[in-house]
Amino acid sequence: MRARSIIMAAALTGLMAPSVLADEISDGRSLSEQHCARCHVVGDFNKFGGIGSTPSFQLLVNAFDDWSERFETFHARRPHPAFVRVAGFEYPDPTVLPPNAAPVEIELDDISAIRAFAETLKKE
C-alpha cells in the first residue's frame, strides 16, 4: 500500500531510522502470531501449527511473485472477509449466520507491519 511504499522508500534512501522499520517488523511479527497463526504457519512461531489447507507465510513469500500484493490485500481475499475487519473499510455482511471464527479487527497500518514481517521470511 502507499504507506508501506513510503516507508520502504524512506528506509532505502536513509531518510528513516532503521529502528522505525525494525519496530514495524516487530509489530508485524506480534500481529501475525496473534491473529494469523490461527490458520497459517508463521515463521518459526508455529512450525507444526496452522490449518493444512492454508499456505504458510514462508511459502507465500518464496513461491509467489505477487506475494507482496497478496499480503497487502489479504483482508479482501477469501476466506478473510468473513472474519477480518480493517478499521475504516466498509464491509457488507457476508451472511446472516454468526461467524465460524473469532473476528479479527486490525488497523490499516497493521497490514503494512504484517507484510514487513513476512518479507523477513524471504530466502535470499
Side-chain angles (χ1 to χ4, degrees):
M1 305 201 110
R2 182 152 171 70
R4 175 71 182 149
S5 298
I6 292 169
I7 289 170
M8 287 305 296
L12 292 172
T13 59
L15 298 175
M16 179 182 292
S19 63
V20 173
L21 190 56
D23 288 347
E24 184 181 36
I25 290 168
S26 177
D27 290 347
R29 175 186 285 278
S30 296
L31 288 161
S32 297
E33 290 174 358
Q34 179 183 0
H35 299 301
C36 307
R38 300 187 316 187
C39 301
H40 299 271
V41 172
V42 175
D44 290 336
F45 175 71
N46 62 337
K47 286 190 223 185
F48 303 105
I51 297 173
S53 62
T54 63
S56 69
F57 277 27
Q58 295 89 315
L59 174 72
L60 287 167
V61 299
N62 289 295
F64 293 94
D65 291 335
D66 66 342
W67 71 268
S68 183
E69 179 189 354
R70 289 173 184 252
F71 274 90
E72 291 171 0
T73 61
F74 81 89
H75 59 95
R77 294 173 180 261
R78 291 178 47 197
H80 299 104
F83 59 92
V84 174
R85 295 291 180 263
V86 178
F89 282 82
E90 299 250 351
Y91 296 91
D93 289 330
T95 178
V96 295
L97 300 173
N100 62 354
V104 172
E105 294 184 10
I106 60 175
E107 300 290 328
L108 190 56
D109 289 342
D110 294 341
I111 295 171
S112 293
I114 291 168
R115 188 217 166 277
F117 163 67
E119 188 168 6
T120 69
L121 302 174
K122 191 156 182 68
K123 294 178 182 173
E124 295 298 320

